[in-house]
Amino acid sequence: MIRAAVIGLAFTVAIAAASAAQDAKVAKGEKVFADQKCSLCHSIGDKGNKKGPLNGVGVKLSADEIRAWITDAKGMTAKTKPARKPDMKAYSLPKDDVDALVAYLTTLKK
């Protein structure tokens, strides 16, 4: 009985730690979005360029698709043939920044 309680507590602590780490990654992604001035071309809610809304992007695109737009915009433009011009420019960000940005953008469900 005590062993089950200890295992349950350890599981709860692990889930809380994972959740805190994800929250930190999302917060970093929001900062990367601001630091990279993504709002010059994109909007979230009422902030940014309304011609490139990202509201609901976390429902419309998978994390892999969001990552591809960030790391290979030219390839994604060729693949999806979006109507919006100009094409998204290429970015070269550290992997941790890309991971954080993807984590943040996947939270945008509305």
Side-chain angles (χ1 to χ4, degrees):
M1 182 85 136
I2 293 174
R3 183 176 180 194
V6 170
I7 291 171
L9 179 60
F11 183 71
T12 301
V13 169
I15 289 175
S19 179
Q22 183 64 18
D23 290 348
K25 187 182 275 191
V26 169
K28 179 180 177 180
E30 189 171 8
K31 184 176 181 335
V32 170
F33 186 89
D35 291 350
Q36 292 296 317
K37 298 179 177 37
C38 299
S39 63
L40 291 174
C41 297
H42 297 285
S43 65
I44 296 173
D46 291 334
K47 295 182 180 179
N49 188 333
K50 304 290 187 239
K51 293 180 182 177
L54 292 176
N55 302 320
V57 72
V59 174
K60 297 172 190 170
L61 300 176
S62 70
D64 288 341
E65 290 168 321
I66 293 170
R67 180 178 310 283
W69 272 109
I70 296 166
T71 61
D72 183 19
K74 186 175 180 179
M76 287 301 285
T77 298
K79 179 180 175 181
T80 63
K81 303 194 184 345
R84 183 165 184 243
K85 299 293 180 200
D87 294 343
M88 186 169 152
K89 74 175 196 168
Y91 286 91
S92 179
L93 300 172
K95 182 183 182 317
D96 287 349
D97 285 357
V98 172
D99 291 345
L101 194 51
V102 170
Y104 170 57
L105 294 174
T106 59
T107 68
L108 304 178
K109 305 291 185 181
K110 293 183 182 183

